[in-house]
Amino acid sequence: MGKLRAAFASSNNAYIDEHFGSAQYFQIYDIDEKEAEYIEERRINPLCKGHCEGGFEAAYDLLKDTDAIFVLRIGESAAGYMIQHGKRVFEAHGFIENIVKELIGDGFAKGSDTDNDNENVVLASSEKDQLAGDERQAYRKEAV
């Protein structure tokens, strides 16, 4: 059974509400095929206020043990930096609990393990995979 560690940019441990560069808190979860476990809250001084083109090392150091990062918004340079350093980055909105349930249902961790450099991570990203209504949260937009 695979397990992935995910970070959610949230100021209240409930809802994804932080942009990557201005995030102060990341909620860390371990997710496997059947359940998720809340690990901890990590705090960081915001990288920038508004647009920034560098200085992402502190965020990487904070999140280096994670496989995926979920934020409200992320700029191209920040997304590129994190992706180049082996992170999957998603723009998302919604309650963390609902997104975690969706990730489990979609097999986010199926066949994956945190020690395999994400080679087996498969996330659905096509429009046909999205359902209407507020029950399904939008984590589908993977930053590239």
Side-chain angles (χ1 to χ4, degrees), residues 75-143:
E76 283 184 42
S77 58
Y81 182 91
M82 298 307 278
I83 290 167
Q84 286 178 339
H85 286 83
K87 305 298 170 209
R88 301 210 53 191
V89 179
F90 298 87
E91 289 186 338
H93 64 87
F95 288 99
I96 294 171
E97 179 180 332
N98 293 343
I99 293 173
V100 165
K101 287 178 186 175
E102 185 177 345
L103 293 170
I104 292 168
D106 286 350
F108 184 72
K110 186 176 184 178
S112 298
D113 196 314
T114 55
D115 294 330
N116 74 358
D117 296 326
N118 297 329
E119 290 176 352
N120 298 318
V121 175
V122 177
L123 293 180
S125 60
S126 66
E127 289 182 26
K128 70 178 179 68
D129 292 321
Q130 294 191 29
L131 299 178
D134 292 333
E135 294 83 38
R136 297 280 288 193
Q137 301 300 317
Y139 78 89
R140 301 294 186 204
K141 186 176 179 188
E142 185 167 6

Side-chain angles (χ1 to χ4, degrees), residues 5-132:
R5 181 160 283 184
F8 299 88
S10 174
S11 64
N12 62 13
N13 196 15
Y15 197 87
I16 296 173
D17 62 353
E18 301 248 42
H19 290 232
F20 181 78
S22 59
Q24 295 182 49
Y25 303 96
F26 286 92
Q27 311 305 322
I28 309 300
Y29 285 78
D30 282 344
I31 303 170
D32 66 24
E33 295 174 12
K34 296 182 181 187
E35 63 186 4
E37 177 185 4
Y38 174 75
I39 302 301
E40 65 186 349
E41 177 178 86
R42 296 183 186 168
R43 184 163 170 35
I44 186 171
N45 289 327
L47 302 173
C48 56
K49 294 182 180 175
H51 186 73
C52 59
E53 290 295 328
F56 307 120
E57 296 83 6
Y60 173 76
D61 287 343
L62 183 77
L63 303 172
K64 66 183 167 190
D65 66 333
T66 65
D67 302 293
I69 302 166
F70 294 81
V71 297
L72 185 62
R73 296 279 182 261
I74 188 168
E76 283 184 42
S77 58
Y81 182 91
M82 298 307 278
I83 290 167
Q84 286 178 339
H85 286 83
K87 305 298 170 209
R88 301 210 53 191
V89 179
F90 298 87
E91 289 186 338
H93 64 87
F95 288 99
I96 294 171
E97 179 180 332
N98 293 343
I99 293 173
V100 165
K101 287 178 186 175
E102 185 177 345
L103 293 170
I104 292 168
D106 286 350
F108 184 72
K110 186 176 184 178
S112 298
D113 196 314
T114 55
D115 294 330
N116 74 358
D117 296 326
N118 297 329
E119 290 176 352
N120 298 318
V121 175
V122 177
L123 293 180
S125 60
S126 66
E127 289 182 26
K128 70 178 179 68
D129 292 321
Q130 294 191 29
L131 299 178

